[in-house]
Amino acid sequence: VGTRARSCLLLVCVLAGVTGDEASAQAAENEGTIQAESEPSPGDPPLREFTLAELRKYDGSDVDLPVLLALKGFVFDVTSGKKFYYPGKPYAHFAGRDVTRNTAMFNKDPSTLDRTDFPKKREKYLNKVFEGTYKRKYPVVGFINNPTQPPPGWVEPADDTEVEEDASAQKAGRKQDESRIANWLQSAWTALTGSKPEL
């Protein structure tokens, strides 16, 4: 019953225009289960330093290892996000990689993984996702030893066309995501209430 009530509350919040982060926080508060930030506590093991090559071992292909990814220089244990990061799931290619640029640019392009550069105007969005999603949901287990260095073999683009292409891809992806979300919301509403929502 608790999961169904939480789902219903989240759906109502989304339909009312409350953002996903606000809806999740409101639902958790109503259940009295707001999660603590993923800051290490004194009893936690010390944070480990990873290279990008070491991080790749934690891509979900070895069931005996946790699934990790890096964002803004921090390494998160995303093992609990099985529906996102495990092999065959929508963000499986993020596992074992640095996703800083992808997150900042709101794209899933595998060719930009392990890059930490992004336009300054995307920093606010990146910080929102970092704080509101990753730090809230997943424990920090380490850090990348030099997150400011581009990955080996990286060549700086000659002009800003790549940023423009990323923005165009982002806009197309956002429209596709909005359509998927609308369809999902309609299906969820119908499943919960037995009637179609009035739009």
Side-chain angles (χ1 to χ4, degrees), residues 25-131:
Q26 187 172 355
E29 184 175 307
N30 286 345
E31 290 182 5
T33 59
I34 292 183
Q35 294 178 333
E37 296 262 334
S38 59
E39 299 293 327
S41 62
D44 290 342
L47 297 180
R48 178 176 162 201
E49 183 176 354
F50 290 86
T51 65
L52 289 174
E54 290 170 330
L55 187 62
R56 295 232 174 125
K57 293 189 301 191
Y58 300 91
D59 65 356
S61 60
D62 183 341
V63 296
D64 294 327
L65 294 175
V67 179
L68 307 179
L69 63 74
L71 181 66
K72 289 184 60 174
F74 292 90
V75 176
F76 291 91
D77 182 340
V78 296
T79 305
S80 64
K82 291 180 181 184
K83 64 183 179 181
F84 301 109
Y85 303 107
Y86 273 63
K89 300 301 179 183
Y91 293 93
H93 61 288
F94 279 16
R97 306 296 292 270
D98 189 316
V99 299
T100 302
R101 180 178 176 84
N102 295 72
T103 303
M105 301 304 292
F106 192 69
N107 78 47
K108 294 176 20 175
D109 181 2
S111 70
T112 59
L113 288 168
D114 298 330
R115 287 180 52 186
T116 57
D117 62 309
F118 56 89
K120 183 77 171 159
K121 65 184 178 181
R122 301 298 301 167
E123 189 167 17
K124 184 175 180 180
Y125 174 77
L126 175 64
N127 289 336
K128 179 180 175 182
V129 173
F130 177 77
E131 293 291 334

Side-chain angles (χ1 to χ4, degrees), residues 160-180:
D160 288 336
T161 57
E162 184 175 327
V163 172
E164 291 168 14
E165 289 171 4
D166 279 346
S168 176
Q170 174 186 356
K171 186 175 181 179
R174 196 174 313 134
K175 283 186 179 188
Q176 187 178 23
D177 287 344
E178 288 171 358
S179 175
R180 273 192 233 135

Side-chain angles (χ1 to χ4, degrees), residues 7-20 22-23 26 181 184-185 189 197-199:
S7 298
C8 188
L9 180 60
L10 286 171
L11 180 62
V12 170
C13 289
V14 170
L15 292 174
V18 178
T19 67
E22 292 167 335
Q26 187 172 355
I181 291 169
W184 178 84
L185 286 173
W189 181 264
E198 294 180 25
L199 302 176

